[in-house]
């Protein structure tokens, strides 16, 4: 079974702090994704990566950056946390290439971040 | 751009059949996927339609009409454990970008 793990289930930070959320997958997947999930807004894509050191912006990248130095690890960074970044953050991975349709996403358990 | 629209909530009784719709707008299209998410849990993959028509997996079926930019998830013989949120998702052709719909919360009543 694919396993995607995230560094924390719950995190509380203060406004202005730098926050690191880490995600690790154990299935040698090429693609990794970071989403945030808010009530009524579904899952919104923040950033994704299709290869080591490669990254692309999703729909809501403002206030976030990412790092992928190793294939199995994808980090989401909040340079200066703000209260409007309080949310559930979900990491996912998939094995598909550009020509693969289904590209099933496997999700981690999520990190509920609260910024005070 | 890409967008997928779903009804926000659907309610049905145990044993019934329910349909959750998804309309999409994408620049290019690689098929429609469906995910289930229970409260407090992570989304899990249910079904995928690459081509028009119906795909059946046990009590769940999914349908796609590319000409109408429309799909649906059909849940039969509803059980209480089916109470969850359901998301459609798609990827545009030639991109790795994967987008989810707004989600439909299904409530199954006894």
């Amino acid at each position: 079974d694919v396993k995607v793990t995230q560094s924390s289930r719950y995190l509380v930070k203060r406004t202005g702090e730098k926050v690191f959320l880490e995600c690790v997958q154990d299935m040698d997947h090429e693609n990794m994704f970071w989403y945030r999930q808010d009530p009524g807004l579904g899952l919104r894509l923040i950033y994704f990566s299709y290869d080591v050191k490669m990254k692309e912006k999703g729909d809501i990248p403002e206030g976030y950056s990412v790092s992928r130095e190793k294939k199995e690890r994808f980090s989401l960074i909040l340079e200066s946390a703000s209260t409007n970044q309080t949310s559930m953050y979900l990491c996912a991975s998939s094995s598909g290439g550009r020509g693969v349709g289904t590209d099933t996403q496997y999700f981690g358990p999520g990190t509920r971040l609260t910024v005070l | 751009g890409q967008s997928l629209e779903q009804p926000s909530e659907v309610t049905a009784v145990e044993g019934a059949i329910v349909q959750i719709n998804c309309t999409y707008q994408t620049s290019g299209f690689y098929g429609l996927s469906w995910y289930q998410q229970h409260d407090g849990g992570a989304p899990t993959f249910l079904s995928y339609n690459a081509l028009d028509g119906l795909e059946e997996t046990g009590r769940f079926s999914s349908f796609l009409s590319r000409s109408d930019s429309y799909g649906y998830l059909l849940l039969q013989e509803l059980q209480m454990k089916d109470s969850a949120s359901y998301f459609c998702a798609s990827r545009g052709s030639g991109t790795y970008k994967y987008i989810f719909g707004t989600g439909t919360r299904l409530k199954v009543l006894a």
Side-chain angles (χ1 to χ4, degrees):
Chain A
D1 278 352
V2 174
K3 191 165 184 182
V4 181
T5 56
Q6 294 183 227
S7 48
S8 306
R9 288 302 306 270
Y10 300 93
L11 206 55
V12 180
K13 295 291 182 181
R14 297 215 172 268
T15 302
E17 280 193 79
K18 190 168 185 175
V19 182
F20 292 87
L21 302 181
E22 296 212 316
C23 175
V24 178
Q25 51 95 2
D26 67 357
M27 283 302 291
D28 203 35
H29 282 172
E30 288 82 13
N31 308 326
M32 296 188 76
F33 305 78
W34 274 106
Y35 298 89
R36 64 175 284 177
Q37 185 172 26
D38 302 287
L41 297 178
L43 286 83
R44 293 182 291 166
L45 182 63
I46 304 171
Y47 267 97
F48 63 102
S49 167
Y50 53 88
D51 200 352
V52 175
K53 297 190 186 293
M54 305 302 288
K55 61 186 179 185
E56 284 195 31
K57 294 179 180 179
D59 292 326
I60 52 164
E62 296 77 20
Y64 303 94
S65 62
V66 289
S67 171
R68 193 166 181 203
E69 296 297 318
K70 293 185 178 181
K71 192 175 186 179
E72 68 270 19
R73 190 179 298 268
F74 192 35
S75 301
L76 180 69
I77 303 149
L78 289 68
E79 295 290 341
S80 177
S82 64
T83 54
N84 63 13
Q85 292 179 309
T86 292
S87 186
M88 171 67 84
Y89 290 87
L90 288 160
C91 174
S93 72
S94 70
S95 62
R98 280 183 189 267
V100 175
T102 177
D103 207 12
T104 301
Q105 303 242 313
Y106 296 89
F107 284 84
T111 296
R112 185 164 295 282
L113 172 67
T114 302
V115 182
L116 302 175
Chain B
Q2 291 173 260
S3 68
L4 300 100
E5 295 294 326
Q6 303 176 235
S8 59
E9 192 169 296
V10 172
T11 302
V13 297
E14 209 171 5
I17 299 173
V18 72
Q19 179 174 311
I20 298 173
N21 299 323
C22 174
T23 56
Y24 62 86
Q25 289 184 317
T26 64
S27 51
F29 185 72
Y30 254 144
L32 195 68
S33 297
W34 288 91
Y35 289 77
Q36 178 191 59
Q37 185 182 29
H38 286 100
D39 284 347
T44 55
F45 175 79
L46 285 177
S47 171
Y48 172 70
N49 293 73
L51 304 173
D52 285 4
L54 195 68
E55 292 285 338
E56 297 180 72
T57 310
R59 293 188 298 115
F60 293 2
S61 303
S62 57
F63 173 82
L64 177 64
S65 169
R66 287 172 173 265
S67 59
D68 296 323
S69 297
Y70 164 76
Y72 65 74
L73 180 69
L74 193 73
L75 295 85
Q76 302 182 72
E77 302 172 15
L78 278 176
Q79 301 175 9
M80 298 298 289
K81 67 178 181 179
D82 297 330
S83 291
S85 293
Y86 293 84
F87 296 88
C88 56
S90 76
R91 185 160 70 92
S93 61
T95 175
Y96 297 98
K97 188 177 178 183
Y98 200 82
I99 299 297
F100 283 78
T102 49
T104 299
R105 187 170 186 85
L106 171 63
K107 293 184 181 177
V108 180
L109 306 177

